[in-house]
Amino acid sequence: MPSRRGRAASRKRRGKSVKARAPSAAQFERILANLDEITYEVASPGDPMAGTVVFVSRQVEVLVGHRPEEFKRDPTLWFQLVHRDDVPSVTQATREMYESRRPGTRRYRLRHRSTGQYRWIEDRVVPRLGAGGRVVGYYGAARDVTDRIAADAHLRQSEERFRTFFQNIPEPAYLWRRTGDDFELATHNTASVTYTDGQVTSLVGRRLRDLYAERPDIVADVGRCLAEQSVLTRQMQYRFTTGKVVDLEVWYVPIPPDTVVVHTADVTERRRAEAALQESEDRYRDLVEHSQDLICIHDLDGLIISINPWAARMLGYEPAELLGMSVRDALAPEVRHEFDQYLADIRTAGAAQGLMLMQTRTGERRIWEYRNTLRTEGVAAPVVRGMAHDITGRKRAEDMVRASRDRLRALAVELHNVREAERAAIAREIHDEFGQVLTGLKMDLTWLIDRSAASPKDVPERIGAMLELVDRSVDAVRRMASDLRPAVLDDLGIAAAIEWLAEDFSKHSGIECHCDVLALEPALGPDRATAVFRIAQEALTNVARHSGARHVEIIFTATDDAVSLKVRDDGKGINERQVASVRSIGLIGMRERAGSLGGRVHVRPGIDRGTIVTLEMPIKGPSLPAAAP
């Protein structure tokens, strides 16, 4: 057996005389079958587009659904599968490869046999040179790049969306890209140009440390954002080279692997607004804390959410004690049933106002005038905001004034009654005493005339003159008694008294007076009958004094409940200023006399001319408070 050294020497000798064998075609095809690409060989000694397929690997069947043998039988099959829009570019690239005799790359779409779908192919071709350096064919390796092209398109769309978003951010934004151990300004958006008056354009490509040499905090924030891959937010003040100082809110947003977007917002005005709002809220709080009105917020069930301290103390509580308590419980017991209607009004109309009677912890009753509104915007749940003013003192003062006014009116009525009583007494005294004396005197004088037949001739004449004087005195007494208190008012009633008044007015004034009165006497008490008579008398007096009228009409009517008197003349009339004047004592007296008995007097100009005075008087009415002692 030869030794190991001998066998080695023998192999060495054989190696010098025998060349290494190249792989067989079968081995070569097995190698190509394990590649991802489609490999092929085309022989085309003439026209590059009219070659024949010498070889194509089995992967082509997966890609387009055709077996390799089909391409060998039909050299045009490959171009039949190429998308028609890509045929010109494939032809151009193939011819350029033949002319330059250099490798080339083709990109086109191939249609699958069964699905009809196209797949993107990237084809690397290498020319095969023959004798004289002429291209006689080419080798190719093609791979499916459909997914890569789709990814590239998606990436382009994403970048375009980012670019569009970045440029249209309403606040300034800057894109910083890492360069070594620093960052440089890669780009900026449109808003930053306006914000910096165009200065930012000249800063593109500048280094972060150079631009912010005096602000190491900004440099550190950009680096930290990218290192930690987290969004940072900062509040800062920034001074421009122009000296302008602004408040900024800054966001640092990392974009892997090497980019940071810095987005800034000028919040100077917002800070000022927030400060103004805070000041306003402080003023409102001070107002609420020190207000001497009730300021309260409650929900739609009436539960108190907040109340100011002063109002709580007025009710005898601490503010914390009233929180969660129902407003209903703070009302006086007899009006608590009205609270449900109040809540219903709030829900329906959104507001309510009026008076409420509240009861303090000690039982004191107080009257509050409130104005409440429903608020639904800007709150988590609807609430009712209200303000109320304590008018207890005002109400007491009003009651006192009203009582005083009633007492004064009662006093005026009493004075009128006393005056009428005095007039009646004087009239009776004059009629009974003075009238009787004059009547007796007349009788005595008559007796003397009868007994003086034998007397001298001039005695009867003298006594006759005395009798005439007595008659005039009797008439004067009767007229005075009628002026003080017409007997017809007491004897025959108000209707007859008004007729007598009209007749007497015409006789003494010369103004024609037409009177239309009731046939039946209304059931008026003495005080009301006197008031109607005196108002009619005052109206006629004003006609005689001021109107210059030629005709007057008096209409007196009645119903079961009231009487009505209308005095209408055709004089020069009265204006609104005269009606409202405090100097019109007669009109004021008529109103007060009627008002004291529940009646009303209206004085207005006539339609064409003249004045109309109207009295409406209830036959029965409430009695007035007694006059103060």
Side-chain angles (χ1 to χ4, degrees):
M1 173 177 252
S3 64
R4 181 179 299 176
R5 182 178 296 176
R7 289 196 300 271
S10 177
R11 286 197 298 273
K12 185 176 182 183
R13 288 193 296 267
R14 289 198 301 269
K16 289 181 179 180
S17 60
V18 181
K19 292 183 178 179
R21 289 182 298 177
S24 65
Q27 291 175 329
F28 186 71
E29 288 189 14
R30 283 198 299 269
I31 293 173
L32 296 179
N34 291 319
L35 299 177
D36 291 335
E37 291 87 354
I38 302 170
T39 56
Y40 61 91
E41 179 184 355
V42 175
S44 55
D47 185 356
M49 306 308 298
T52 59
V53 177
V54 178
F55 168 78
V56 62
S57 62
R58 293 286 179 184
Q59 285 85 344
V60 73
E61 188 172 356
V62 177
L63 182 63
V64 295
H66 291 275
R67 296 189 303 276
E69 293 78 9
E70 297 180 65
F71 291 97
K72 293 179 181 180
R73 288 195 300 267
D74 185 0
T76 64
L77 179 58
W78 187 271
F79 282 95
Q80 293 176 20
L81 300 177
V82 176
H83 195 286
R84 64 180 182 178
D85 293 341
D86 299 333
V87 170
S89 64
V90 172
T91 302
Q92 179 67 22
T94 305
R95 294 189 183 280
E96 288 178 356
M97 177 197 64
Y98 267 72
E99 292 173 0
S100 65
R101 295 183 293 176
R102 293 179 180 178
T105 301
R106 303 180 300 185
R107 181 175 287 185
Y108 51 91
R109 286 164 286 183
L110 282 180
R111 185 180 72 250
H112 193 278
R113 180 178 189 175
S114 60
T115 64
Q117 295 180 346
Y118 285 90
R119 304 289 294 179
W120 278 98
I121 302 299
E122 189 173 78
D123 193 358
R124 177 72 174 173
V125 291
V126 179
R128 184 165 64 88
L129 303 179
R134 186 170 60 89
V135 178
V136 295
Y138 56 91
Y139 304 100
R143 65 172 59 191
D144 186 347
V145 294
T146 304
D147 294 339
R148 191 180 75 187
I149 290 178
D152 290 343
H154 180 73
L155 178 60
R156 286 194 301 272
Q157 291 176 358
S158 177
E159 290 177 347
E160 183 63 29
R161 284 196 298 268
F162 171 77
R163 189 177 300 106
T164 302
F165 170 75
F166 180 79
Q167 289 298 330
N168 288 282
I169 295 175
E171 291 86 12
Y174 312 89
L175 194 147
W176 294 91
R177 184 170 289 116
R178 180 181 289 280
T179 303
D181 61 347
D182 200 355
F183 292 84
E184 69 175 19
L185 182 61
T187 186
H188 54 82
N189 69 345
T190 305
S192 64
V193 177
T194 304
Y195 188 70
T196 62
D197 294 329
Q199 296 180 11
V200 69
T201 305
S202 63
L203 302 179
V204 175
R206 296 283 299 277
R207 296 298 181 95
L208 181 64
R209 285 192 176 92
D210 295 338
L211 292 176
Y212 293 100
E214 298 179 358
R215 293 297 301 265
D217 56 325
I218 297 178
V219 177
D221 284 341
V222 174
R224 180 185 169 193
C225 170
L226 191 59
E228 298 180 356
Q229 291 293 300
S230 61
V231 177
L232 302 180
T233 305
R234 292 286 184 268
Q235 307 286 333
M236 66 173 64
Q237 262 196 353
Y238 187 79
R239 179 185 295 274
F240 288 91
T241 55
T242 58
K244 178 183 178 182
V245 178
V246 296
D247 292 319
L248 294 179
E249 194 168 62
V250 186
W251 292 269
Y252 301 90
V253 182
I255 301 179
D258 60 357
T259 304
V260 175
V261 173
V262 180
H263 172 212
T264 65
D266 187 344
V267 295
T268 307
E269 293 301 323
R270 191 181 78 187
R271 292 284 178 81
R272 291 174 182 169
E274 289 173 351
L277 177 61
Q278 184 62 45
E279 183 180 357
S280 175
E281 289 178 350
D282 291 342
R283 288 199 300 268
Y284 172 75
R285 189 177 297 107
D286 290 341
L287 175 65
V288 171
E289 292 290 332
H290 299 94
S291 174
Q292 295 191 358
D293 285 331
L294 185 150
I295 303 175
C296 175
I297 299 176
H298 66 76
D299 62 16
L300 289 181
D301 293 323
L303 299 181
I304 297 174
I305 298 174
S306 70
I307 189 169
N308 60 318
W310 181 86
R313 289 193 297 270
M314 285 292 293
L315 294 173
Y317 299 89
E318 291 297 324
E321 295 181 271
L322 292 174
L323 300 183
M325 175 178 169
S326 175
V327 177
R328 185 196 310 271
D329 297 332
L331 298 177
E334 63 268 26
V335 299
R336 289 176 182 172
H337 66 280
E338 301 175 1
F339 193 68
D340 291 334
Q341 184 60 47
Y342 157 79
L343 292 178
D345 293 342
I346 283 287
R347 290 189 181 96
T348 303
Q353 61 182 9
L355 301 179
M356 58 181 172
L357 180 62
M358 304 192 77
Q359 182 170 293
T360 67
R361 174 177 273 179
T362 60
E364 181 185 2
R365 307 294 185 90
R366 303 197 70 82
I367 302 172
W368 298 75
E369 185 176 35
Y370 68 89
R371 182 185 297 271
N372 295 358
T373 56
L374 176 66
R375 179 169 183 178
T376 57
E377 297 180 358
V379 293
V383 295
V384 179
R385 290 186 173 182
M387 293 189 64
H389 183 67
D390 188 346
I391 61 170
T392 307
R394 191 184 78 189
K395 279 293 183 181
R396 289 173 180 169
E398 289 176 353
D399 291 342
M400 293 176 63
V401 170
R402 188 179 298 107
S404 175
R405 186 184 296 115
D406 290 341
R407 287 194 294 270
L408 289 175
R409 184 172 292 172
L411 177 61
V413 171
E414 183 67 19
L415 291 176
H416 283 304
N417 292 338
V418 169
R419 185 175 64 182
E420 292 298 331
E422 289 178 349
R423 286 180 173 181
I426 293 173
R428 285 194 299 271
E429 186 71 20
I430 293 175
H431 182 273
D432 295 343
E433 298 297 330
F434 193 29
Q436 289 179 6
V437 170
L438 292 176
T439 302
L441 178 59
K442 182 179 179 179
M443 293 175 61
D444 290 342
L445 291 173
T446 302
W447 184 84
L448 286 175
I449 291 174
D450 293 339
R451 298 292 190 276
S452 60
S455 299
K457 202 174 193 179
D458 57 344
V459 172
E461 181 179 352
R462 177 65 59 84
I463 294 176
M466 294 173 63
L467 288 174
E468 184 177 351
L469 179 62
V470 170
D471 288 337
R472 287 201 303 272
S473 298
V474 171
D475 291 339
V477 168
R478 288 175 179 172
R479 187 172 62 257
M480 291 172 60
S482 296
D483 291 341
L484 288 172
R485 177 74 176 184
V488 66
L489 181 61
D490 296 325
D491 298 339
L492 301 179
I494 183 62
I498 291 176
E499 287 184 320
W500 173 84
L501 180 64
E503 182 180 350
D504 185 70
F505 172 77
S506 295
K507 182 188 301 182
H508 291 90
S509 66
I511 300 173
E512 182 181 348
C513 184
H514 175 73
C515 187
D516 184 4
V517 300
L518 297 167
L520 297 177
E521 182 71 16
L524 284 176
D527 55 342
R528 295 177 184 274
T530 300
V532 172
F533 180 81
R534 292 304 181 192
I535 290 172
Q537 190 177 43
E538 181 65 28
L540 291 177
T541 300
N542 289 338
V543 171
R545 290 179 179 176
H546 309 295
S547 71
R550 300 177 61 187
H551 300 87
V552 180
E553 181 182 20
I554 301 176
I555 302 174
F556 181 62
T557 59
T559 63
D560 294 339
D561 301 322
V563 295
S564 175
L565 174 71
K566 180 180 291 186
V567 179
R568 179 168 54 199
D569 66 70
D570 61 355
K572 62 184 179 181
I574 191 171
N575 55 45
E576 297 295 335
R577 182 180 59 79
Q578 292 172 320
V579 171
S581 175
V582 296
R583 297 179 180 274
S584 300
I585 303 300
L587 299 183
I588 295 174
M590 287 192 291
R591 293 193 190 100
E592 288 298 320
R593 187 186 287 269
S596 66
L597 298 172
R600 299 181 65 182
V601 171
H602 298 280
V603 180
R604 68 179 190 277
I607 298 176
D608 296 327
R609 58 179 303 180
T611 303
I612 301 175
V613 178
T614 304
L615 165 67
E616 300 288 341
M617 175 80 72
I619 290 179
K620 295 181 180 180
S623 59
L624 289 172

